[in-house]
Amino acid sequence: EAAGEAEARLLLLQEARESIEAARSYRRELQQRLRGLHQARQQIKESATLTRDVLEQHFNDLKGTLKKLLDERLLSLLQEVDVIEQESIKPLDECQKLIEHGVSTADELLREGESAVDGDVGQQNEKLCNFTKKALHIQLDSLPEVPSLVDVPCLSAQLDDCLLTILKNEIFRHGTVASRPPVQLEEFVEKPGGILVRWCKVDEDFTPQDYRLQFRKGTASHFEDVYVGCETEFMVLHLDPHVDYQFRVCARGDGRQEWSPWSVPQLGRTTLVPHEWTAGLEGYSLSSRRNIALRNDSQSCGVLYSKAPTYFCGQTLTFRQVLAGIETVGQPDRRDSLGVCVEQQNGFDSLQRDKAVCISTNGAVFVNGKEMTNQLPAVTSGSTVTFDMEVVQLGPCSNEGGNFKLRVTISSNNREVVFDWVLDQCCGSLYFGCSFSYPGWKVLVF
């Protein structure tokens, strides 16, 4: 009976502990949801504040610009009035001067005539004769013509009230407030020294023409464009590992000039160190970041290896140029190779050897130095070659080694080959390498 009671007590204690743990889990979930609600509330408030600031700044700028344009137009019209007034008054001023001169001449002639009529009889004939000659010379019957009022300008301003209606209609239609952007960031995929950013359309009624991706480092104040195009993903390279970067994306509708609202900014980071080629090999010139290798015109040949075994199974290793695959191509050679290997081995002029898999520029695939029957398209200008590997362990793995199978997928120009690569040792990471017999090949690795 005592044992039964003890067992029942233990059962009750177990059920109580399970209930306590369930309550703790329930509380954690509720707290997490409260944090989610807080973040959502904060996003609404911050975006609303930012939108108000943008609207106020935009309309203040519009008012300033509109006032400036109206002032400039007013000044132009006033200057036009001044020009017309001056050009129209000038001939009237000249006519006035002519008439005033005629009045002065007539006054003087009147005085002479009255003096001649009222003068002494002895001098009267001579004065009358001189006066008559002078009067005939002045041509008293010739008068300057004065334009009638209908023939001179009468200035007025024609102001079309429909401008206010047009402006009113345009202003009432100007600007919109969107509660949700038509595109959102969807996924961040870590890459060595970079992040593959993907986004998607979330508005079914929106037809995108192209996209615009921006990012900024940490708490930097300004975003910068990193991609504009029609793709829905982009590889952002040259990023520092273990540093937060903020991303946002927007879109432009089909046939539109303006961009849509920005997506909700999201943080992304990479913990993978960038791939680098080994510096110092005579036959190759490297970029400043040592992720681009150019086969120069040196007669020296050999395999250019990575600085360290930075390729891990489960990742994708890509050989291509930043913008358009392999940027330039030299003369192909059967010994050319792009691939991965277990270890660096000097003295070889190709990765077509043991403990390595590679593709030649003619598309041939080699596994441990043996050519496979399957072949990929030739590597040419614009090509991109990727390696994907996953591990399948055949035997026990220990410090002394063991049988190891790697399932390898090599892709080139939308075609791929899949095969198993059997190794006699465990490989946590691999080197990558390349070899080209002739100059002109330029390859980026990431």
Side-chain angles (χ1 to χ4, degrees), residues 147-287:
S148 63
L149 293 180
V150 295
D151 294 329
V152 297
C154 180
L155 279 70
S156 63
Q158 284 74 49
L159 301 174
D160 193 349
D161 292 338
C162 71
L163 175 62
L164 294 178
T165 303
I166 295 173
L167 288 176
K168 180 179 179 181
N169 293 335
E170 291 296 328
I171 289 173
F172 284 166
R173 288 197 301 263
H174 182 67
T176 58
V177 177
S179 60
R180 289 180 178 83
V183 292
Q184 293 285 7
L185 295 168
E186 182 179 29
E187 184 181 16
F188 297 101
V189 181
E190 288 187 65
K191 297 291 183 178
I195 299 175
L196 176 62
V197 183
R198 293 192 175 105
W199 54 89
C200 63
K201 184 181 73 168
V202 295
D203 185 351
E204 293 299 328
D205 297 328
F206 183 78
T207 303
Q209 175 179 305
D210 45 17
Y211 301 94
R212 181 182 180 188
L213 177 67
Q214 290 188 337
F215 84 117
R216 65 183 179 187
K217 184 177 181 179
T219 57
S221 57
H222 298 292
F223 282 90
E224 59 181 274
D225 286 340
V226 69
Y227 172 76
V228 175
C230 60
E231 301 295 330
T232 56
E233 66 178 34
F234 182 74
M235 174 70 69
V236 184
L237 295 173
H238 311 317
L239 302 182
D240 297 327
H242 306 288
V243 173
D244 285 336
Y245 290 86
Q246 196 171 41
F247 295 87
R248 65 182 185 181
V249 67
C250 66
R252 182 159 47 198
D254 190 20
R256 306 296 294 271
Q257 293 297 323
E258 71 278 5
W259 291 100
S260 73
W262 290 105
S263 66
V264 177
Q266 294 189 35
L267 292 178
R269 65 159 47 194
T270 179
T271 59
L272 307 176
V273 296
H275 291 319
E276 293 183 8
W277 299 103
T278 299
L281 189 61
E282 185 177 350
Y284 294 87
S285 303
L286 305 183
S287 63

Side-chain angles (χ1 to χ4, degrees), residues 134-153:
K134 189 174 183 179
L136 291 174
H137 179 73
I138 294 176
Q139 297 181 352
L140 295 177
D141 59 344
S142 177
L143 295 174
E145 185 175 354
V146 177
S148 63
L149 293 180
V150 295
D151 294 329
V152 297

